Amino acid sequence: MKKLFATLLFIILLIYAVVSSNNIFIDKTNNRYYMLENELKQKSETYDVQIYGSCHAYTSFNPMYLIEKYNISSYNLSNPSEIIPITYLRMLERFKYDTPKVAVVEIWGTNPYETYVSTEDILDSATPVNIELLPISLEKLSVIEDLETLDAIEENFAIIKYKDRVSEQSLNDLDFNYHFYKANAIYNPERTYWLYEEMINRFEHNGYKSTPVTSLSDYPEQQAKVFDIDTLEIEANIIKYIDKIITLCDKYNVELIFYRAPYRATENELRKANYLSNYLEEKNIAFYDLEKEIHFDYEKDFHDYEHLSIYGSEKATYFLTEKILQLINF
Amino acid sequence: MNYISLQFVNFFIIILILYYIMPLRLRNFLLLGTSLYFYACFDIAYVPFLIFVALSTFIVAKVKKRKKLWLWVVISANVLLWFIIKFHYFIFAYLDQFLGIVKLPPIGDKFSILVPVGISYYILQAIAYVLDVHRNKIEPETKFWKYLLFLSYFPAIVQGPISRYDKLMPELTKSKKFNYDTFANNLLLVLLGLVKKMVIADRIAIYANYCFNNYDSLSGFTLYLGAIAYSIQLYTDFSGCVDICRGVSGMLGIELAENFNHPYMATSIKEFWGKWHISLSSWLKDYIYIPLGGNRNGALRKNFNLLATFTVSGIWHGFGMHYIVWGALQAISQITSSYTITLRTTIKQWLKIEKDSLSERFYKHFITLHLILISWIFFRAENLTIAFRYICNMFTEWNILELMNNSLFDQGVNFFYFIILFIHIAVLFMSEYYANKHKNMVLIIRESHIFIRWSIYFVLIYDLLLFGVYGSGYDTSGFLYGGF
């Protein structure tokens, strides 16, 4: 009995040590999920409206306006290149301790296999970073299995995935509360880019500030065909997680809105958006294709071909807020 | 299914649970089923070869009439089978060359023969079994399934140790109740084996491979270090894997024979062969060297027997003159040693090296290790020409200052991992030296205070997690002795 107890104690200590080591070995400056979670832990606030999705969600929904105009607390929890299965896992995790009244989900993440970013970049680079520190669960293992390109061991044990960082360890690696403010203090222009700065902006202002940098001369070509295009079925391993998001929101009694932010999409992406629109309509879930709903000014509403500017996001946020207010009385 | 894979871990955990909840009398059936499944996982087509070897030797061991004739028939058939399977590529290459001379079309590309994993090991076990029965050393096995289990036992089928029937069968058939201490000892042995294999062998292999792949453009000290790296790689790879296999078997309550006894602590080639790949060395001694006459018929015959035994050892390892030369070098070193005792004594006196002193031990170690080092170059090289050129280049442009420039760290093992490797190798050989003088390293750790013991466990686990070579890009089929 004594030996059995000692063995159990050893196993518990080992698991604790390995899990703690995950936080040391992960490259924190590269993991936005890690920084976001730690940032929010420090704020220790709850939000009535939570926004999920990829950078398209981040650049199209500005929580700043909600608090200014309607006094509704909201937070944009989106992550660059986040695909729908991971959005589901993050909602699952977040709802456990912060259940919103409304969840707003942008649907770029339903297109990992055909979009303006290569599938390899999405599934081999961004997705592992977005999933690696989500707590281990059967749901997480199921997502890993469905996506096929991920490794169950590496995505659950950062110590294994990042073992080669052992020779690059710094004091920052021992800071378990590492977040964007701190990352900003060691700002390295070569490692960061526009979105990264905007993420810091998100924490300083709980909003989005990017101004237009490009005049999108050929964007109206896409706009012209948005209404005429037919439908294309979304992959089964993706639609499965749309269903899971719906079930999850049902379980927690959270109102759910899906929307599509405008960006230069492939024709198949537009077809899939139409498919999803029909699919959600059958399930009586709100879906808005902002490209169809709002008139955007191609001179100033876009930051670039893929993301809205501060002006475009204002239009999108007001539109979505109106829809939120139709669903729920705050 | 490789011993170092998640697949094997899952497989073994299931077997372990089933094994200990199953009634004692059914456990060997489980082991047989498991062993056959494990072997079939490599390729189902390997299994008929195993069945043939098992069936032929099992039947002949029971034959009452014309025993000697049947004995030689079955040994010849099995050796011939092994020879054809193992060397068919070279046989067909030579045959095609001959057919080309007589203007006939080549036939080599029409034949593709599988080389079953572990065939070199279980054929030796089977031959030893029939010979031991013939010599009345053991009684023939009455149950075929038990004999099949002896040959196919999964922890030993891929790269040994080559078990003897009279040693392994009692282990397989004894009552195997769960024993916490035995289990923990063997789990630690597996952990130590994994560290040897994944932290040392696979890391140092990067440098050794670089040297052997670029021997033409390298010289002097770099190639010397490359040869040392390969010597360490071979030992840690093979002994690490054997530790894993022995540990896995030990967790099932079945003890496999020791295959290494701190070989690089040897002070002569003869001693080295009593410590290196012990199961093969003792097999060669018992079934080739002694039947040939051993050292009973004068010095000349003894030398011939040594040469023949080690040449067979060379052939067993693979096809090519470099393996034969490697084997012959072992014999020549021992023969030369016996003829140069007077000369060596004179040299030691001239150098003022006293008998049994520290300097004498160092001198003996130094000479022995360098003889082994040279022979490993033949073992590792792809052919004889490459081996000779490697050695020639090693003795040109000898410049120890190569250590001072950073080129040493540009070949896949950077400065950080070089230091890590150095620490591991130093700890390995210091612990081997200590264990050689005292007792088994596993027991030393297990008998220490719980705080020290757990600290060592943590260090070993983290060592493996952080410094082990694994993950994407790692070839899990890469056991050096698995290919023989």
Side-chain angles (χ1 to χ4, degrees):
Chain A
M1 199 49 138
K2 195 176 153 191
K3 284 174 179 171
L4 181 70
F5 179 74
T7 307
L8 284 175
L9 183 65
F10 180 81
I11 291 169
I12 290 165
L13 283 175
L14 183 65
I15 291 170
Y16 179 75
V18 170
V19 170
S20 303
S21 307
N22 284 343
N23 285 326
I24 297 175
F25 279 88
I26 191 167
D27 185 357
K28 297 171 187 66
T29 55
N30 193 34
N31 194 299
R32 294 179 187 88
Y33 167 73
Y34 183 89
M35 291 197 267
L36 183 76
E37 287 299 305
N38 282 306
E39 197 73 44
L40 288 170
K41 264 181 215 160
Q42 294 208 337
K43 291 191 172 193
S44 54
E45 288 173 16
T46 56
Y47 299 94
D48 288 335
V49 178
Q50 290 175 5
I51 300 93
Y52 290 93
S54 63
C55 53
H56 297 268
Y58 171 59
T59 57
S60 60
F61 196 105
N62 198 339
M64 207 190 279
Y65 298 130
L66 251 74
I67 197 81
E68 277 174 12
K69 303 278 179 186
Y70 302 95
N71 202 27
I72 298 171
S73 68
S74 65
Y75 210 90
N76 200 323
L77 289 142
S78 54
N79 243 344
S81 298
E82 184 175 287
I83 58 174
I84 283 292
I86 296 175
T87 297
Y88 163 68
L89 291 177
R90 297 196 52 214
M91 292 171 84
L92 188 69
E93 203 49 40
R94 185 88 204 162
F95 284 10
K96 285 177 191 167
Y97 56 93
D98 178 16
T99 312
K101 289 179 178 153
V102 182
V104 183
V105 181
E106 204 283 330
I107 61 137
W108 175 87
T110 56
N111 283 308
Y113 303 109
E114 190 184 349
T115 183
Y116 64 93
V117 186
S118 77
T119 304
E120 287 75 26
D121 279 351
I122 297 169
L123 293 181
D124 298 341
S125 304
T127 303
V129 174
N130 287 337
I131 199 173
E132 64 196 2
L133 277 185
L134 282 161
I136 188 166
S137 64
L138 287 175
E139 293 282 357
K140 183 179 174 184
L141 293 174
S142 163
V143 168
I144 289 170
E145 197 181 335
D146 284 343
L147 292 176
E148 291 176 354
T149 55
L150 301 175
D151 182 287
I153 297 288
E154 289 196 350
E155 301 318 334
N156 284 299
F157 298 98
I159 184 176
I160 288 174
K161 187 174 178 179
Y162 292 100
K163 67 187 169 71
D164 292 339
R165 289 191 70 242
V166 65
S167 57
E168 304 164 8
Q169 293 286 300
S170 67
L171 283 177
N172 288 329
D173 290 304
L174 297 172
D175 182 0
F176 287 12
N177 293 317
Y178 197 81
H179 48 72
F180 280 98
Y181 283 135
K182 290 182 181 175
N184 197 25
I186 54 154
Y187 175 69
N188 177 356
E190 285 173 14
R191 287 192 67 168
T192 58
Y193 54 104
W194 157 73
L195 199 64
Y196 185 75
E197 289 179 10
E198 282 300 340
M199 300 284 277
I200 292 166
N201 196 357
R202 160 156 66 180
F203 296 108
E204 284 174 352
H205 307 287
N206 193 10
Y208 174 60
K209 288 168 62 174
S210 201
T211 49
V213 292
T214 328
S215 170
L216 310 185
S217 54
D218 53 352
Y219 197 90
E221 289 171 20
Q222 172 170 309
Q223 187 64 52
K225 59 190 170 193
V226 159
F227 294 94
D228 303 328
I229 217 146
D230 54 358
T231 65
L232 180 67
E233 194 170 339
I234 293 175
E235 291 80 1
N237 64 341
I238 298 295
I239 207 80
K240 173 180 167 184
Y241 290 96
I242 293 283
D243 289 340
K244 286 193 172 218
I245 287 173
I246 295 168
T247 313
L248 179 73
C249 289
D250 234 17
K251 181 183 163 190
Y252 282 91
N253 206 19
V254 174
E255 293 291 345
L256 178 62
I257 294 176
F258 285 98
Y259 75 102
R260 178 181 166 266
Y263 66 95
R264 187 169 54 179
T266 65
E267 286 196 14
N268 281 346
E269 278 181 280
L270 298 175
R271 288 192 175 98
K272 285 179 182 176
N274 287 347
Y275 173 84
L276 190 62
S277 171
N278 296 341
Y279 185 82
L280 293 171
E281 195 179 347
E282 279 175 25
K283 292 183 177 284
N284 207 19
I285 303 289
F287 173 79
Y288 303 102
D289 187 336
L290 300 191
E291 208 157 3
K292 292 176 182 172
E293 304 284 352
I294 303 170
H295 174 72
F296 288 101
D297 179 346
Y298 307 118
E299 293 297 321
K300 67 169 202 171
D301 285 347
F302 283 81
H303 170 79
D304 55 29
Y305 278 103
E306 281 79 35
H307 306 96
L308 291 175
S309 69
I310 189 169
Y311 307 111
S313 79
E314 189 175 345
K315 286 181 182 175
T317 309
Y318 281 143
F319 174 84
L320 289 168
T321 307
E322 289 302 316
K323 301 299 173 192
I324 290 168
L325 291 171
Q326 285 170 18
L327 279 176
I328 195 160
N329 191 12
F330 285 93
Chain B
M1 197 188 317
N2 191 285
Y3 294 122
I4 301 181
S5 66
L6 207 56
Q7 202 187 0
F8 182 76
V9 173
N10 295 335
F11 164 81
F12 186 61
I13 289 171
I14 294 167
I15 298 307
L16 210 52
I17 294 166
L18 287 175
Y19 185 77
Y20 281 113
I21 58 171
M22 205 168 251
L24 288 170
R25 64 194 158 80
L26 295 177
R27 287 184 184 172
N28 279 346
F29 290 109
L30 174 73
L31 282 185
L32 177 63
T34 303
S35 298
L36 292 176
Y37 171 77
F38 176 78
Y39 197 54
C41 280
F42 289 100
D43 194 327
I44 190 91
Y46 292 172
V47 179
F49 290 94
L50 174 68
I51 302 288
F52 169 79
V53 173
L55 208 56
S56 62
T57 47
F58 177 77
I59 292 168
V60 166
K62 291 171 85 76
V63 166
K64 300 277 187 219
K65 290 176 184 171
R66 294 185 174 180
K67 282 161 91 171
K68 201 163 187 173
L69 172 71
W70 283 112
L71 176 75
W72 285 111
V73 167
V74 80
I75 290 175
S76 308
N78 278 288
V79 170
L80 191 66
L81 172 78
W82 170 80
F83 191 83
I84 291 170
I85 286 170
K86 201 88 185 187
F87 304 126
H88 72 276
Y89 176 80
F90 302 97
I91 294 168
F92 283 122
Y94 286 124
L95 193 63
D96 283 349
Q97 264 185 6
F98 173 74
L99 290 172
I101 293 166
V102 295
K103 309 247 186 296
L104 285 169
I107 58 164
D109 54 352
K110 294 187 179 70
F111 293 91
S112 172
I113 301 176
L114 286 167
V115 182
V117 168
I119 191 166
S120 302
Y121 295 89
Y122 63 72
I123 278 193
L124 292 192
Q125 283 190 194
I127 290 173
Y129 166 75
V130 283
L131 281 169
D132 284 352
V133 172
H134 180 72
R135 291 170 184 174
N136 294 322
K137 272 179 74 182
I138 52 170
E139 286 295 313
E141 177 56 62
T142 52
K143 295 186 174 78
F144 178 67
W145 71 267
K146 277 191 181 176
Y147 179 64
L148 187 59
L149 172 61
F150 158 69
L151 288 188
S152 65
Y153 182 49
F154 76 93
I157 198 170
V158 176
Q159 58 177 43
I162 302 158
S163 304
R164 301 293 177 84
Y165 179 83
D166 56 340
K167 298 281 187 305
L168 182 57
M169 192 47 86
E171 285 291 318
L172 289 169
T173 49
K174 74 180 181 188
S175 173
K176 297 173 283 269
K177 283 183 183 160
F178 181 81
N179 180 297
Y180 178 88
D181 289 324
T182 309
F183 190 88
N185 288 352
N186 283 290
L187 193 59
L188 177 59
L189 188 61
V190 171
L191 190 58
L192 290 170
L194 287 170
V195 170
K196 268 191 200 172
K197 164 70 181 152
M198 293 167 74
V199 180
I200 304 178
D202 290 342
R203 182 76 63 187
I204 208 165
I206 299 167
Y207 187 73
N209 290 342
Y210 164 76
C211 290
F212 277 88
N213 293 339
N214 300 283
Y215 68 95
D216 251 350
S217 55
L218 300 171
S219 60
F221 202 72
T222 308
L223 290 180
Y224 176 67
L225 277 183
I228 292 176
Y230 180 68
S231 305
I232 295 168
Q233 182 204 349
L234 188 63
Y235 171 57
T236 48
D237 185 288
F238 192 19
S239 70
C241 183
V242 169
D243 285 348
I244 294 165
C245 297
R246 290 184 64 233
V248 162
S249 182
M251 281 194 268
L252 297 166
I254 297 160
E255 198 178 332
L256 288 177
E258 287 261 19
N259 218 19
F260 292 92
N261 182 21
H262 321 298
Y264 288 151
M265 298 291 141
T267 50
S268 69
I269 296 291
K270 188 181 174 186
E271 191 189 346
F272 175 79
W273 280 102
K275 289 166 172 280
W276 177 276
H277 204 173
I278 298 167
S279 62
L280 176 68
S281 310
S282 62
W283 192 98
L284 292 168
K285 185 181 151 200
D286 292 347
Y287 301 104
I288 295 185
Y289 181 70
I290 291 173
L292 282 172
N295 52 8
R296 296 188 299 271
N297 301 318
L300 204 61
R301 184 58 194 257
K302 179 194 161 188
N303 295 341
F304 170 78
N305 294 343
L306 265 177
L307 201 59
T309 306
F310 279 104
T311 305
V312 169
S313 172
I315 294 169
W316 181 85
H317 281 90
F319 191 83
M321 278 307 290
H322 61 115
Y323 281 119
I324 294 173
V325 169
W326 166 78
L329 274 176
Q330 311 304 322
I332 291 165
S333 302
Q334 292 184 55
I335 294 165
T336 313
S337 164
S338 64
Y339 285 110
T340 55
I341 292 174
T342 323
L343 177 69
R344 282 184 289 126
T345 312
T346 313
I347 292 171
K348 277 189 260 180
Q349 281 169 352
W350 183 67
L351 291 171
K352 295 196 170 112
I353 297 171
E354 286 177 26
K355 196 169 167 43
D356 293 331
S357 63
L358 186 70
S359 48
E360 193 201 26
R361 285 207 299 278
F362 175 78
Y363 164 84
K364 282 180 169 179
H365 263 308
F366 185 82
I367 299 292
T368 306
L369 288 178
H370 280 79
L371 286 172
I372 293 162
L373 191 80
I374 296 289
S375 76
W376 285 145
I377 295 173
F378 287 92
F379 192 79
R380 168 63 175 80
E382 282 161 29
N383 58 49
L384 206 54
T385 315
I386 291 176
F388 279 121
R389 279 165 69 177
Y390 189 102
I391 293 167
C392 287
N393 288 354
M394 196 166 83
F395 289 104
T396 55
E397 294 179 40
W398 189 267
N399 179 13
I400 204 154
L401 291 176
E402 283 172 32
L403 264 183
M404 303 301 159
N405 64 34
N406 280 335
S407 62
L408 190 63
F409 310 119
D410 292 340
Q411 321 311 333
V413 183
N414 62 26
F415 181 72
F416 176 79
Y417 283 109
F418 203 88
I419 296 295
I420 294 293
L421 258 180
F422 183 79
I423 292 168
H424 278 87
I425 292 164
V427 170
L428 173 73
F429 286 109
M430 279 194 305
S431 59
E432 292 240 331
Y433 181 78
Y434 186 75
N436 194 31
K437 293 241 172 269
H438 299 85
K439 58 181 172 181
N440 190 311
M441 189 46 70
V442 169
L443 290 180
I444 294 170
I445 297 171
R446 289 278 302 147
E447 287 169 5
S448 55
H449 185 271
I450 189 166
F451 179 76
I452 297 169
R453 193 165 76 236
W454 282 21
S455 303
I456 293 172
Y457 294 163
F458 267 85
V459 168
L460 288 172
I461 291 167
Y462 268 81
D463 198 19
L464 203 58
L465 288 175
L466 296 180
F467 304 122
V469 178
Y470 61 89
S472 44
Y474 171 57
D475 177 13
T476 51
S477 63
F479 281 114
L480 291 179
Y481 257 78
F484 294 128

